[in-house]
Each structure stands twice: as structure tokens, then as C-alpha cells.
């Protein structure tokens, strides 16, 4: 009969897997896994509701390693607990090409990663999204199928990042009592003692945002367990400050930033083996320790089976499963078609933000899992609809989230909502403020999450608010980011088509760049086909053999139509190409692209944004009409005139090149 | 004899100038100027040390309207106090083309704006930079020439933005006791009552970061004055929560978000005239009120004269004036030359982050106003030098700032240091985390500030940390931003040249994109000429008539050199162009650019980053070797191989196009 594994043995298993894997990789961050091994062991072996055999169980507790550099903590936990995709070869090949055990935990690479972390502060904010999603789903389906905690391990870095304040403030406002943050309070940052840069009373700070807080010795397993037990009973989100020693067990480097981001070295690791009484070879875990861990990993099996039975009997089982699977309801395509027909016939003169509002009105009625919101610009972004009543701290059945002036937090919470499952989040701010949320948008893209960014006031066309609010580089930056669909529709038809494509884009985020100013409806002939989904298409072919190809997006498409007329007056045959989404256009067959771009014709692009990147489409003999510097504060028409973004400038540029 | 103006009259002058200018412009934000008119009147008429006739007086108190949408508050104050660039015509032409009174206050457009505000949270963080600069300058020159306060008006939006936490935390850590924040605590955000999105106890939050806090009725002038008096005596930074009514004086809309962002309308303004007993026509200020304001505006004249005398007698007057004027010391050019000579001769194999460290070692010794720092990556960014000892809460004579894990805050504080005068800030983080600081970097660019961003680990070449840390879109986004010089030097010579150009770029920020991995020195023949300042140049001309032009930056220049050899082996004549700065290359004469780019040759670009934007340089028959998606976690060499960024891929691409 084997011995019962002790807590210390279970924690040391994490420590040595981490030390040894990092040593073998000659790269990585041992300090955090060693420091937080005790806390993680308590959490995973006594509290976390999970089943290693069913890592995506919908009602599992979520676990977020916000301090993602401590990835070996997560991989060690995964291997030890028996997650099937994390065998010992994965641990031995930490940070190597072709293995799942990437430098930072990546959602989709290892099942145990509920989100991708590494950029600090993202994880804790995703966790707010998880906890919010849980409350919203519980409000819809009841506690019998949705009732889980969200646990976070966060470091000093996460708490120093500004986004953490947005997260803390939101969680406290909504009272997300099932969110529990375990702070690795080791008093060490990369530059040394945290005292070099921070003097905050973190507990007081969290309390100021209505959190439950406490402090424990992070190496005292029973104290940690008691704190987690208490936190689970609190009516408020909880911060547990776990006083730990970074690199716990390293004989000379423990407690120092030297353990943070580099292998410890053979000698130090040998010393740790002696100090922690761990005589086992690298990557060898004694059977009784591994068994204890595997028991922890299967602990949730019975609970999951009971949950499955409850779900089987649930009246809304089909809807629960449909929305968790990210599948859209049957009827929504009819909504798209009806809307397009109507606006093509009525040809309203709407700003595309207004078109977006009308589109969202229709889509949110048809797709109950769509969850709206805005970073305190609801009536500018026009993101609220009749179907989306506000979520409040006392009612989570709503579908609209007032994120406050927290663009970055909004984006990271939307990632959490999307990752949790069950919801399709969209959220608004001004396009320029994509720069406040960029790190989180990048995570949407890297994690293949269907998050829709509704970004209005999308050019100098916003007018008087001036250059601080006028995007110039923003759309180029978004287009340069992998796996983001950037839509800049020109009218209500294209706007609906853009949302249709965004909803069908289940493996990445989409951006809607929408005008403040009114624009004519240009697509007045209905097509069932989604032309926007082709990325670019011939909106108005030249009369006669095409000599000039005018490329435009959004608010400048109608300007290109005017330029086409000016050119026609001069006897020049120009086509107008609407180009609402470069990324989708790039996916079209070469022949289609060539036909649209009119090879051999003079191409002129126009966009009331920075010109960066347009060379791809206009070619060596082309011209680009747009912005080369910052904007100015004046009425929109004056600005277009002042910066030379006019139909006649487009026509002149074409003529100069013929 | 005219009547003495009352406080209420002085405040109402602000209210009506704001209401009327916004009404005439049909655009703007009246709520805040009306709500904060009392507080601003107390501050400007009783406390703020300034002289409207010398708005750039070095020892003036700084005033930051962090809630920049309330720009009419600032313009009203400027006009009333007698700033010469703000006459009544400017007020009447608020938000119009060609006038200084932009939608949001812009540094450089109106003398009263110590910084540009509008994007929320930037101003309060710039103010931390001002207050830090004051303490650092006082530590160098003494209180007889440097002794001023920094006042901020911030709204709920500023305090909701995450960057505000970084600001608060830094100010509390450093104990910036001359920083006083007046919070417009009106309980209104754009979506309505702030209770829709925030429940923080702000006073407790600031206290948790070691601030002095109090709450007053923001319409009680004496209470506000008493609070400011107390704050000036506090040994800690101060938050004064001013309970106000947004749109104070508007008969039906006061206290509502309806006053926030739109003109009030003629009827409402007429009602306000009645309610506030202001019978005067739009833009008419009674003489006694204007006189009182003009007295306030000239109040600081005597104090300034006394200060001028003290400065005249100061032993370091010349250095004080030189550094405030942003002029570099005489000798620094020799430092540049000596360094270039030495590294060209010794040809070390350094990562460019290491080259940067050596460059900074030399430059910080020669240029005492250079102030270093890092967002907690000092020993990765290699930004500290022997000349730059750390700034601490008890010693501000240092030159190195531990910003903590607060990239955004760092950038906005650097803006404050640069705007204050006297310092040239540089600060480090990983290149990928430019996305955390983007909004502040954009402000550096918009405000023409010489801020140097030292961004290391600049491509997939950082290796094992993986895709969360590998920039793909980052450099494209920076290149797309107006008025930013983006340098990606290839070796120590180019690195020094890049810093030389950055220091000479007195009207905008510069970015250094620097490698983690070692690279050979390629510039082994010394030139006094700064080739990097040309943006791009022929590093290695083709032997024989050039057929192929290889374009590369940074770590890929040596790879291009290898490709040149591979092509030579096939009898193909290729030149290697090092292209460390696109923006400077664009400023070169057309003939130079054509010669460098080798018109008529096949051009192949290589950069271990996203390919976005390179079409500008390679043209229709060119090729771009780079990244089209996110990276991966593995050793650097494996990644280059895996993603096909190799010398043979470059050579093959060239040959395929010949």
C-alpha cells in the first residue's frame, strides 16, 4: 500500500516540474510557480470544481492564471491532475516548437487554459467577464445548471496595470461574489522589491471598490483553505492576499527577483532538492503523489454526472447547448434579408452608426445571446436596443452592459463573456479609443473569439471634437493586426452585411468602423448575396471600358461616386469599388480580386483616415487621397475641404495618372 | 467708480461664455464648465500662480484640464484673465477652422493649455509628470527658482479610466505633495447617473494610495478655498472631491447628462440668464467683471519679477535656461562620434538592446537632462546607466524612474516631464506593450514632444515568450501614426545614429525598436555622417549592375546580407538597403530615394514582423518576407525557420521575380 501524499509533496511536485522544465528549456519563469505552488495545490485539490477528463464542462469553475508568465504552474497542474493533452513529453518540451506548452498559456493550445494570459492585467479582467457571464447565464437558466466560481491568480504586475482598476471597479459594482482573486503577494517585481515602484495598500484599494479582502500566509495550506472557504461565502468579490516567497525552496535565490524570469541553474535546483527533500529525478513524480493529484483531477466527475442529469431535465437544454456551442438560431438569416430589402427600398440617409443601431435592433431581437454595451457612450455609439435592457447589480437578466469609461476593461470583459460561452458580446466606443483597448482586442484575435467592436465617429468626419478624437492611424493598426475583420461599411445595407459576416466569423473578432455623419444609401438594389463578405466589390461599374478604378470605404464611397460623375463629365470611364473589409477581400480568388481592382486601370483610393497601407491596392501608378497628419477641429465639411479629401481631388488624381 | 465684481459674477462670466460659444458653434460640452465655474474661479483668482502676459513662465503653477471636453472652461478663463492669444473673436469662433479654440484644448494652440487633453485620464497622468518634474528640478536648482503647484480638474471619466490608477499610485508612491486634483464630483456620466457603472468610494481609493483627501461643496467658494489652502499644506498629493451640479444654472437641464455634450438651446440659455441674473448679451462681459478677471490674470506679475531676479542671481542660470529651452549641451556630438568610431572598429556582436544600453551609457553621461526609466523591465530593456541613479520618494536628484508595471502611465508621465521643460525622458518596455501605452504615445506625437520610447524584444526573435509577447502589427501601427519617428537599427552604429536623430527630433517622439537577440556589427567603416538620419541607405551595393534591391531593418539586415551572398553565388547582383526609419526616408529628395530603392530592380523586403505597409517600398513586382499571423513559442532560430524568414527565402523571392 502506498503512502498518502502530503500537501507539501503535492506542492513540491509543481515546484520541481516547473524548475526542471524551465531548466531544460533554458527559458522561463520559475519564481511564481514555486511561490504559488501551495496556494494552487489547495485550490486544485480541495476547491476547484473541474474534471480533467472533461476540461470544457460548461459549469466547471474557471481558473485564470493572470500572471501568465508562471505558465509552468498551470502546465504542472494540468499534467499532475491528468488533463489528457498535457503528458510528461509536453512538460519536457516546454517552450519548444510544436508543443502545447507555450511560454505563456494559450487558450486553444492546452485545455486547462480558460484564457490566454501573459500581457498583465488581461487575465483578471477576463475573469470579471467569466464571473459576469456566470451570473447572466444563471439568471437565464437557474443555478441548477449554472453555478460556478471564477478563481484568479494575479501578481503584483497585474495589480499595477491600470486595467486592473477597471476590473476591480466593475466587479465591485456588479457584486460578482463568485469571483475570488488569489494575489501572489511576494513583494517582488522585476526591478526588485515592489517598494521601488508601489506603495499602495492593495487591501484598502479593493475595499474601496466593495470587495471582501483578507491576508494569509500563502505557504500555510490550512490558512489558505480557510480563506477560500470564507471567500466563497462572501456576498462580495474576494481578494485573498497570499503572502508568499517568490522562488520558494530555492536555497540562495528564494525571495529575490532573480527567480522571476530565468532558469535557476543546476546547482540551485540541486540545492532546492536537498532543501525540500525531493530526491526524485527531473520529471519523475512518485506514484503516491501522482495518484493523489489524479484523484484531485477526477474529483469533479461525480458532480459533473449529476449536473448532466440536471441539464438533461432542463426545459431550456437545447437553447443552453446551442448558445454554449456558439451556434446561431435558425431564423436570423431571414432577419438579415428582410432588413436589407427594406433599407434598399427606402434608401434612408443615415450615419452608419445609426444604420448600426437599426441593424442591432433587428439582430438583438433575433439572437438572444447577443449582449450589448458601451464604454459610457451609449447614445453616441447607438448600441442599445429595445431587446437589450440594462444589466444591473440586482438584475442580471438584462442584455446591455454599462461598462463605464473603461474601454480596455470593456474589451477584456467581452473576451471573458465570449470565452465563457453562451454569449456574443458587442461593445461600443469611439474608434479613436481603440487605442485604449488595443491589448485586449489583440487577445480577442489571438484567442479566436467572436467579439464585435462597435467603433463610431470613425474619421475626421466627426468634426468639431478635433484631432484628439479623430482617428488617423487607427484603422491601419487594426488592419495590420492578424485575425481581425475590419469593416467600414458605407450604408445600411453594407452595415447589415458587415454584422452578418461578423456573426459568421466564429474564429475572431470584428470591428465596425462607423460614421458620425449622415450618408446616402448606395445599395438600393436588393441582393440576397452578402457582397460585403467578399471584402470588396464593384458598386458602380464604368460606363464603357474601365480606365479608372476608384477604391473607397465607408463615408468616402459616396464621395467616390461623385468623383465618378466628375470623371464621366470629362469622358473618363471610372468604376467605384466599395471595399468594406480588406481581410475578406484578400481571401477571394485571384481572378475575382483582379477583376474588382481593374488591372491595368489607374487606381485611386480615398479614405478620410491615414493613408498607410493603401499602396497594397492602388499599386505603383496609383494615388491615395487621405490624411497624412493629425486632423483639426471644425465642422466636418470644412475639414474634408481643408484636407483635400474631395471628389474633385479624387478625379484630379485619376486624371493626372491617365 | 465701478462695482466690485462678486465671486458669482466672475463664475457666471465663465458659464455664459461657455454656453454662448457652444450655442454659436452648435457643438460642445457646456455641462462641465458650468458645473466647475465656481471651483475654477476660486483657483484662478486666488491661488494659481500665473501671469497671463507670460504664459510660459517656467515656475508658473501648472493647470491641467484633464476633463478636456470642458474646453470652454479653459478658453473662458484664458480670455477673462487676459491671455493675449484668446481674444473674444476666438471665443466666438469656438471649434471653427483656423481658430485656436479647438474642440479639446491643444498644447501649442493656446498658451493656457499646459497639455492637450480630451482622451480621458491622460491629463491627470501628465500632471503627475509635471509634479515629478517640479520635484526633480527643485532638487537640482533649489526652491528659489523651482517651486510650483500642479492643479488638475478631473471628471468621473478620468477616474474610471485605468490609467488614472497608475497615476494615483505613482503620485502616492513618490509623495508628490504639490499635486492637487479637483474632482468634478457631479455624479453624472454620459450614460446617466454614474451609479449605472461605478460604485467606488473614490476617497478611500485615493487614500489607499497615500493621498490626502477631502470633500467640499463645489459651489461654495469659501469651502473650496479652504480645501485648496489645506491641500497646499499637506505632505501628500491631494484629492478634493468637489460636489457639483453639472450644467449649474440651466433651469431644466442642470444635474442631467443632457448638459454634457450638446448645446443647451436658446430657450434653456435664456432661462439660465434669468435664473443666474445675467442680463448681458452673448459674449458681453460687464467691465467690472472683466476688470476683476484681468486683475487675477496679472496677479502673478510681481511674483514673476521677483523670480526673475532670483534666477538672474542663480549660479546655474545658464544650465537651467538651456535645459528648459530644450537645447542640448555643446559636447554631445563628440560623444556620438567617439562611440561610432569605437564600435565600428571593435565590431561587437550585441543585441541592439545592448547597443542601446551602451549608447545610453555614453549619452546620459554627456546629457544630464536625459531621464531614464522602465515599466519594470529595467534589466531586460537595459535602460539604466551609471549616470542615472534611481529617483526615490526621498531623493529626487536621481535620473532613473522605476515606473512599475504601468506602461501607459509611464508614457503619459514622460509626456508631462517633456512638457514641463528641463528634461528629455526616455522609457522602456517590450515593443509589444506599445499597445498598452498607445494613447499616450499618440499624445506625444500630437503635442510635438521629444519623448523616446525604448522598446526591446522587437520581433519573433524574442523567441520562447511566444505570441503574446511577439509584436506583429506593432511597428506598422507606430509607422502609421503621424509625427512619430520609428527606428529599427541593425547594429551599434545605427543605434547611436538613431538616438542622435531622436535627440535632434525636437518636435516629436521617437521609438527605438530593439532586438533581444545578438546581431553582428555591420557598419564597420566609420562615417561622421548620420546615415540613419536619412532613413534608408545603401549598406552594401551590388557588385556590378544592380538587379535586386534587398530592403531590411534591424535584426533582418544581417539576414539580407546573407541573402545577398546567396544571390551572388547565383550570379545575381543585389544591393542591401538598411532602412532604419521610414519616416526620415520619406523626407529625402526624390532622387535620393529612387537611387536607394533602385528603380527598375526587383525589390524584396524582409522584416520579422507583420508585412503590413511594406508595399509602399517594394512596389508591384516586389516581395515581402515577414509575418502574416501571430508568432509561436520556441527558440528564435526555430521560429525564423518555421515562419520562412530566412536568407534563402529572400533570395528565392528575388529570383522568382527576375
Amino acid at each position: 500500500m502506498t503512502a498518502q501524499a502530503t500537501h507539501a509533496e503535492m506542492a513540491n511536485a509543481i515546484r520541481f516540474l516547473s524548475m526542471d522544465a524551465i531548466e531544460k528549456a533554458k527559458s522561463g519563469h520559475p519564481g511564481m510557480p514555486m511561490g504559488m505552488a501551495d496556494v494552487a495545490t489547495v485550490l486544485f485539490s480541495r476547491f476547484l470544481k473541474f474534471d480533467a477528463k472533461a476540461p470544457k464542462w460548461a459549469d466547471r469553475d474557471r481558473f485564470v492564471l493572470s500572471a501568465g508568465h508562471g505558465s509552468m504552474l498551470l502546465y504542472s497542474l494540468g499534467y499532475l491532475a491528468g488533463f489528457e493533452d498535457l503528458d510528461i513529453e509536453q512538460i519536457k518540451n516546454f517552450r519548444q516548437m510544436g508543443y502545447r506548452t507555450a511560454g505563456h498559456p494559450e487558450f486553444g493550445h492546452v485545455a486547462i487554459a480558460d484564457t490566454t494570459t501573459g500581457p498583465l492585467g488581461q487575465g483578471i479582467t477576463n475573469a470579471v467577464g467569466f464571473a459576469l457571464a456566470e451570473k447572466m447565464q444563471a439568471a437565464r437558466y437557474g443555478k441548477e445548471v449554472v453555478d460556478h466560481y471564477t478563481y484568479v491568480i494575479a501578481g503584483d504586475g497585474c495589480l499595477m496595470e491600470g486595467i486592473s482598476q477597471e476590473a476591480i471597479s466593475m466587479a465591485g459594482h456588479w457584486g460578482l461574489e463568485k469571483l475570488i482573486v488569489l494575489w501572489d503577494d511576494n513583494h517582488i517585481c522585476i526591478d526588485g522589491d515592489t517598494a521601488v515602484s508601489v506603495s499602495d495598500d492593495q487591501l484598502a484599494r479593493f475595499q474601496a471598490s466593495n470587495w471582501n479582502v483578507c491576508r494569509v500566509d500563502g505557504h500555510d495550506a490550512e490558512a489558505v483553505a480557510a480563506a477560500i472557504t470564507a471567500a466563497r461565502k462572501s456576498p462580495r468579490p474576494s481578494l485573498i492576499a497570499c503572502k508568499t516567497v517568490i522562488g520558494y525552496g530555492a536555497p540562495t535565490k528564494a525571495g529575490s527577483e532573480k527567480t522571476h524570469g530565468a532558469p535557476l541553474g543546476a546547482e540551485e535546483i540541486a540545492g532546492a532538492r536537498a532543501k525540500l527533500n525531493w530526491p526524485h529525478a527531473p520529471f519523475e513524480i512518485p506514484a503516491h503523489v501522482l495518484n493523489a493529484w489524479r484523484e484531485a483531477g477526477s474529483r469533479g466527475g461525480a458532480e459533473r454526472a449529476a449536473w448532466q442529469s440536471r441539464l438533461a431535465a432542463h426545459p431550456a437544454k437545447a437553447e443552453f447547448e446551442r448558445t454554449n456551442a456558439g451556434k446561431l438560431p435558425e431564423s436570423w438569416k431571414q432577419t438579415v434579408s428582410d432588413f436589407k430589402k427594406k433599407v434598399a427600398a427606402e434608401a434612408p440617409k443615415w450615419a452608419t452608426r445609426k444604420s448600426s443601431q437599426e441593424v442591432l435592433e433587428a439582430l438583438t431581437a433575433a439572437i438572444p445571446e447577443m449582449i450589448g454595451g458601451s464604454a459610457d457612450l451609449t447614445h453616441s455609439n447607438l448600441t442599445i436596443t429595445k431587446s437589450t435592457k440594462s444589466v444591473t447589480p440586482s438584475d442580471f437578466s438584462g442584455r446591455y452592459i454599462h461598462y463605464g469609461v473603461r474601454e480596455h476593461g470593456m474589451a477584456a470583459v467581452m473576451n471573458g463573456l465570449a470565452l465563457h460561452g453562451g454569449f456574443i458580446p458587442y461593445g461600443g466606443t469611439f474608434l479613436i479609443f481603440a487605442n485604449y483597448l488595443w491589448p485586449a482586442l489583440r487577445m480577442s484575435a489571438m484567442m479566436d473569439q467572436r467579439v464585435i467592436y462597435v467603433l463610431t465617429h470613425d474619421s475626421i468626419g466627426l468634426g468639431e471634437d478635433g484631432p484628439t478624437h479623430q482617428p488617423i492611424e487607427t484603422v491601419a493598426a487594426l488592419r495590420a493586426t492578424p485575425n481581425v475583420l475590419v469593416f467600414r461599411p458605407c450604408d445600411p445595407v453594407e452595415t447589415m452585411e458587415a454584422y452578418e459576416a461578423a456573426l459568421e466569423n466564429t474564429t475572431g473578432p470584428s470591428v465596425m468602423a462607423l460614421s458620425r455623419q449622415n450618408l446616402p444609401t448606395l445599395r438600393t438594389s436588393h441582393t440576397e448575396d452578402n457582397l460585403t463578405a467578399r471584402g470588396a466589390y464593384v458598386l458602380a461599374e464604368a460606363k464603357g471600358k474601365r480606365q479608372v478604378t476608384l477604391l473607397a470605404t465607408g463615408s468616402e464611397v459616396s464621395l467616390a461616386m461623385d468623383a465618378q460623375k466628375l470623371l464621366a463629365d470629362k469622358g473618363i470611364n471610372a468604376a467605384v469599388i466599395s471595399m468594406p473589409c480588406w481581410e475578406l477581400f484578400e481571401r477571394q480568388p485571384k481572378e475575382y480580386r483582379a477583376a474588382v481592382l481593374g488591372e491595368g486601370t489607374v487606381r485611386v483610393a480615398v479614405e478620410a483616415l491615414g493613408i498607410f497601407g493603401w499602396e497594397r491596392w492602388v499599386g505603383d501608378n496609383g494615388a491615395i487621397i487621405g490624411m497624412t497628419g493629425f486632423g483639426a477641429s471644425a465642422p466636418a465639411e470644412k475639414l474634408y475641404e481643408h484636407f483635400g479629401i474631395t471628389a474633385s481631388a479624387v478625379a484630379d488624381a485619376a486624371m493626372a495618372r491617365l
Side-chain angles (χ1 to χ4, degrees), chain A residues 585-599 617:
Chain A
F585 185 54
E586 275 161 17
R587 296 182 197 167
Q588 302 305 310
K590 197 176 171 197
E591 299 67 34
Y592 176 79
R593 280 185 283 136
V596 169
L597 292 174
E599 303 234 321
W617 307 117

Side-chain angles (χ1 to χ4, degrees), chain A residues 89-107:
Chain A
E89 286 308 305
Q90 292 289 339
I91 304 296
K92 289 180 182 171
N93 286 285
F94 178 53
R95 293 185 160 223
Q96 303 308 305
M97 181 64 76
Y99 288 86
R100 300 172 186 279
T101 42
H104 294 80
E106 293 180 38
F107 175 80

Side-chain angles (χ1 to χ4, degrees), chain A residues 49 58-59 62 129-149 176-178 307 314 316 320 323-324 371 391 394-398 417 420-423:
Chain A
K49 179 172 76 172
D59 198 39
R62 300 305 194 271
F130 286 141
L132 177 61
E134 196 267 352
K135 288 198 79 133
M136 290 171 62
Q137 238 186 359
R140 284 154 176 75
Y141 298 98
K143 285 203 171 288
E144 65 271 31
V145 287
V146 185
D147 187 9
H148 68 78
Y149 287 90
L176 303 177
E177 79 280 2
K178 291 165 85 178
W307 176 85
H314 196 285
F320 182 77
T323 53
N324 275 340
I371 302 297
V391 167
S394 57
D395 183 1
F396 289 86
S397 69
L417 292 174
H420 181 277
F423 300 110

Side-chain angles (χ1 to χ4, degrees), chain A residues 165 168-169 172 201-211 213:
Chain A
Q165 181 63 25
I168 294 165
S169 181
D201 178 343
Q202 293 289 6
L203 268 54
R205 173 190 172 206
F206 278 74
Q207 276 182 309
S209 292
N210 306 304
W211 283 56
V213 301

Side-chain angles (χ1 to χ4, degrees), chain A residues 243-273:
Chain A
K243 286 298 291 179
T244 61
V245 176
I246 191 171
Y248 181 94
T252 73
K253 296 182 180 174
S256 157
E257 69 275 14
K258 293 196 184 85
T259 67
H260 166 77
L264 295 180
E267 194 179 336
E268 187 78 5
I269 294 176
R273 283 196 146 72

